[in-house]
Amino acid sequence: DTGVSQDPRHKITKRGQNVTFRCDPISEHNRLYWYRQTLGQGPEFLTYFQNEAQLEKSRLLSDRFSAERPKGSFSTLEIQRTEQGDSAMYLCASSLGAQGEQYFGPGTRLTVT
Amino acid sequence: GENVEQHPSTLSVQEGDSAVIKCTYSDSASNYFPWYKQELGKGPQLIIDIRSNVGEKKDQRIAVTLNKTAKHFSLHITETQPEDSAVYFCAASMPLIDDKIIFGKGTRLHILP
């Protein structure tokens, strides 16, 4: 396995459009996390899944954001009615159980114009 | 909630010299402290971590120290090389209680020739 993968790597969209990102975790990892990173900052937690169950959502995750992991493997993060403030790098990470080590993908850079 | 402070924000060291990055955390329940290296256009890469039952951990040229009483932890890189140039993030979490990782704001390390 080559690690966590994310698609697309870059997305430019106009304000008001919907976007969807995909994350494929390391194959045996049962936990999957989404973080958001803005320029000059560390990643900020958005939400995480254990298998297909979404266990926690940050208050950063407004009603316009929704994440799914329908079969406990890949996950999607959808942003509806994008705003300029949504411009950021969206990072996905995965881990095996709850021992702490989270491995990150390359991220999807979103630019809202 | 947990808050992680990191300094300095920028660090320049001569190639071959040592670099030290320091972090503090606020929640005494945190017991897992990973360090990530992020290169331009890539996701954070886990380089070393330490758990609260250990005071120091070393892996080749990098070492981490943890002072639980003072809630301080540090990253030490010896014999720095050009490829060490990157942004480094410290982080804290409490696996099994709250799985999200709280990151510092990062240190941009420049290795000077």
Side-chain angles (χ1 to χ4, degrees):
Chain A
D1 191 290
T2 57
V4 179
S5 61
Q6 292 186 246
D7 184 69
R9 294 291 310 276
H10 303 274
K11 178 71 177 178
I12 300 174
T13 191
K14 292 186 177 179
R15 190 175 53 189
Q17 297 295 305
N18 299 345
V19 294
T20 300
F21 310 139
R22 176 179 170 126
C23 170
D24 287 89
I26 294 171
S27 58
E28 65 269 25
H29 284 186
N30 59 344
R31 292 199 169 201
L32 186 149
Y33 310 80
W34 286 99
Y35 290 81
R36 181 171 69 187
Q37 185 178 25
T38 53
L39 207 60
Q41 302 294 317
E44 293 177 292
F45 171 81
L46 292 178
T47 188
Y48 87 94
F49 294 83
Q50 176 165 291
N51 300 315
E52 63 274 9
Q54 189 171 16
L55 295 187
E56 186 176 350
K57 292 196 292 186
S58 163
R59 53 190 165 81
L60 291 177
L61 211 67
S62 77
D63 290 345
R64 297 184 297 106
F65 287 69
S66 62
E68 294 183 341
R69 194 182 183 199
K71 297 182 180 178
S73 56
F74 73 92
S75 174
T76 57
L77 178 68
E78 181 183 17
I79 309 174
Q80 296 183 325
R81 304 181 302 281
T82 52
E83 301 173 357
Q84 286 190 317
D86 297 331
S87 295
M89 174 81 86
Y90 289 85
L91 293 162
C92 175
S94 70
S95 72
L96 182 62
Q99 295 306 308
E101 298 96 337
Q102 295 183 19
Y103 297 91
F104 282 81
T108 294
R109 180 165 294 286
L110 173 66
T111 302
V112 182
T113 62
Chain B
E2 176 63 277
N3 182 51
V4 176
E5 299 285 340
Q6 179 172 351
H7 60 95
S9 56
T10 305
L11 178 62
S12 297
V13 300
Q14 211 70 38
E15 182 179 348
D17 288 351
S18 296
V20 180
I21 301 170
K22 298 183 179 182
C23 292
T24 60
Y25 62 99
S26 61
D27 193 332
S28 57
S30 290
N31 56 7
Y32 174 67
F33 306 92
W35 286 86
Y36 287 85
K37 174 183 181 183
Q38 188 172 29
E39 297 174 322
L40 198 61
K42 297 184 178 180
Q45 175 194 2
L46 179 65
I47 56 171
I48 195 167
D49 56 16
I50 190 167
R51 298 185 189 270
S52 59
N53 57 346
V54 174
E56 184 173 355
K57 183 176 177 181
K58 191 173 181 180
D59 182 4
Q60 299 182 355
R61 296 186 297 108
I62 59 174
V64 290
T65 58
L66 171 65
N67 182 329
K68 280 214 71 176
T69 304
K71 295 186 205 159
H72 289 174
F73 58 117
S74 301
L75 176 72
H76 304 250
I77 306 174
T78 58
E79 300 171 10
T80 52
Q81 300 171 2
E83 54 266 34
D84 295 330
S85 293
V87 179
Y88 291 80
F89 292 98
C90 63
S93 77
M94 46 190 92
L96 301 178
I97 298 175
D98 187 346
D99 213 27
K100 61 179 172 287
I101 291 179
I102 306 300
F103 287 82
K105 291 189 175 183
T107 296
R108 182 170 297 278
L109 176 63
H110 299 276
I111 306 301
L112 306 172

